[in-house]
Amino acid sequence: MSEYSEDNLVEQPAIGLFSELGWETVNGFHEFDSSGKSILGRDAKTEVVLKSRLRPALERLNPGLPQEAFDQAMEELT
């Protein structure tokens, strides 16, 4: 692989920074197994937002809000 690739110049440094900041990182290049199931919980590669992780994070960061607020946030964000 070229040392001047997007992976070497952008992706790997970003992954390293996120790891240093305490974020969980995952290499999702081969995220879908042979049965078509995603290790990240996506239904398809076109699904950009990990909905199964987003809503719990919204609820954790905004305790006490009504469920309608989370429904609306999910609708707006996805």
Side-chain angles (χ1 to χ4, degrees), residues 28-39 42-45:
F29 189 75
H30 299 289
E31 119 185 47
F32 289 89
D33 64 18
S34 59
S35 69
K37 190 165 178 83
S38 165
I39 60 170
R42 294 192 304 164
D43 292 328
K45 291 182 180 183

Side-chain angles (χ1 to χ4, degrees), residues 3-52:
E3 72 179 84
Y4 295 106
S5 69
E6 180 179 359
D7 183 59
N8 284 335
L9 296 173
V10 179
E11 290 187 37
Q12 294 309 313
I15 291 168
L17 175 62
F18 288 136
S19 290
E20 288 175 22
L21 294 172
W23 288 61
E24 176 187 352
T25 62
V26 127
N27 182 343
F29 189 75
H30 299 289
E31 119 185 47
F32 289 89
D33 64 18
S34 59
S35 69
K37 190 165 178 83
S38 165
I39 60 170
L40 298 176
R42 294 192 304 164
D43 292 328
K45 291 182 180 183
T46 57
E47 186 180 347
V48 177
V49 177
L50 300 176
K51 295 176 187 175
S52 63

Side-chain angles (χ1 to χ4, degrees), residues 44-69:
K45 291 182 180 183
T46 57
E47 186 180 347
V48 177
V49 177
L50 300 176
K51 295 176 187 175
S52 63
R53 295 183 184 197
L54 177 58
R55 187 174 187 113
L58 289 171
E59 292 174 351
R60 185 178 66 253
L61 293 169
N62 301 282
L65 289 181
Q67 291 303 308
E68 296 81 28

